[in-house]
Amino acid sequence: GAVVSQHPSRVICKSGTSVKIECRSLDFQATTMFWYRQFPKQSLMLMATSNEGSKATYEQGVEKDKFLINHASLTLSTLTVTSAHPEDSSFYICSASNPRPSGRSYEQYFGPGTRLTVT
Amino acid sequence: KNQVEQSPQSLIILEGKNCTLQCNYTVSPFSNLRWYKQDTGRGPVSLTIMTFSENTKSNGRYTATLDADTKQSSLHITASQLSDSASYICVVSARLTSNTGKLIFGQGTTLQVKP
């Protein structure tokens, strides 16, 4: 099956610094990648959708200048949390999809997540 | 407003017992419905995906049902194992284009299987 990896799995950074999270589709080309944030005991919240080679589309309330997304290739997307603050501490999950031909369901494969702790 | 509601919020069962999780949705236009299993500190893993025309789909000990008329789905787990302890998330895809959609997530049901 399709595999999506994330790196790092855990990161601790100091307040005010930036941290980059990588999301890779290992055995398929992902035309679209998604970034989610999940707080404890809550479900996933979509932050942004990125298509390879174009700017990401951010959900309402998500600051595009704070959460920089780059989708430079069909197998790699990065999320950079700039000037991180303790309230940015969360579980960040990416997913990747490769839309199927019209009329067929497409699958979205999730990465294992990255636990970010800002001190 | 597109919404997915799951019940119960949490559930504790004994190993070997069966259980059923519920999902109600108001999503339009409907594309498909998925059930995911999420272990603590891990990303979701797909269990089943059903389109409008599918009433039931099985994946091992997991069986999902879909009633598109009443907009309800269930996930039945048979002969539960300790490894089934996880959060189960119902996700409905709202169709955006002919081959893309937006996922609407339920809050999840936390299942704990005790020996």
Side-chain angles (χ1 to χ4, degrees):
Chain A
V3 179
V4 176
S5 70
Q6 282 185 240
H7 178 80
S9 58
R10 290 177 177 271
V11 58
I12 301 173
C13 69
K14 292 187 176 181
S15 185
T17 62
S18 296
V19 60
K20 180 186 287 188
I21 303 170
E22 292 185 348
C23 175
R24 294 181 184 273
S25 56
L26 299 185
D27 51 2
F28 68 102
Q29 292 186 329
T31 52
T32 305
M33 286 186 169
F34 306 83
W35 286 97
Y36 296 85
R37 182 166 51 182
Q38 185 177 32
F39 293 106
K41 299 190 184 299
Q42 295 186 24
S43 194
L44 283 71
M45 292 177 55
L46 179 65
M47 298 175 66
T49 302
S50 73
N51 292 297
E52 185 267 338
S54 61
K55 289 185 178 180
T57 301
Y58 290 81
E59 295 298 299
Q60 192 172 10
V62 178
E63 301 174 56
K64 62 178 69 175
D65 294 330
K66 180 170 183 62
F67 298 99
L68 302 179
I69 292 172
N70 184 285
H71 191 168
S73 77
L74 286 172
T75 60
L76 173 65
S77 175
T78 60
L79 168 67
T80 301
V81 183
T82 63
S83 187
H85 290 285
E87 57 265 32
D88 298 324
S89 299
S90 187
F91 192 51
Y92 291 87
I93 304 174
C94 74
S95 70
S97 72
N98 186 14
R100 297 182 184 180
S102 177
R104 300 185 61 185
S105 300
Y106 73 100
E107 185 56 269
Q108 198 172 123
Y109 303 96
F110 289 86
T114 295
R115 172 73 59 192
L116 170 64
T117 302
V118 184
T119 60
Chain B
K1 179 182 178 183
N2 288 331
Q3 268 186 313
V4 177
E5 295 183 354
Q6 293 185 240
S7 62
Q9 187 174 6
S10 61
L11 182 63
I12 301 174
I13 62 173
L14 293 176
E15 184 179 13
K17 297 296 185 182
N18 304 335
C19 67
T20 300
L21 314 180
Q22 301 291 342
C23 174
N24 296 337
Y25 64 91
T26 53
V27 175
S28 181
F30 175 89
S31 178
N32 56 70
L33 184 145
R34 310 137 183 256
W35 283 94
Y36 287 91
K37 178 186 178 187
Q38 185 178 22
D39 293 310
T40 301
R42 306 289 293 175
V45 174
S46 179
L47 296 176
T48 63
I49 177 171
M50 290 185 292
T51 59
F52 184 88
S53 59
E54 296 175 295
N55 300 121
T56 184
K57 182 165 282 190
S58 292
N59 178 1
R61 294 180 297 102
Y62 301 102
T63 298
T65 65
L66 174 64
D67 186 333
D69 291 330
T70 61
K71 298 186 178 179
Q72 296 179 326
S73 175
S74 67
L75 179 69
H76 186 75
I77 304 175
T78 305
S80 62
Q81 301 176 358
L82 298 179
S83 59
D84 292 333
S85 296
S87 178
Y88 290 84
I89 307 172
C90 176
V91 182
V92 181
S93 177
R95 189 175 348 110
L96 296 178
T97 67
S98 60
N99 61 354
T100 61
K102 180 173 182 176
L103 299 187
I104 313 297
F105 287 78
Q107 289 296 102
T109 292
T110 301
L111 174 65
Q112 187 178 358
V113 181
K114 289 192 170 183

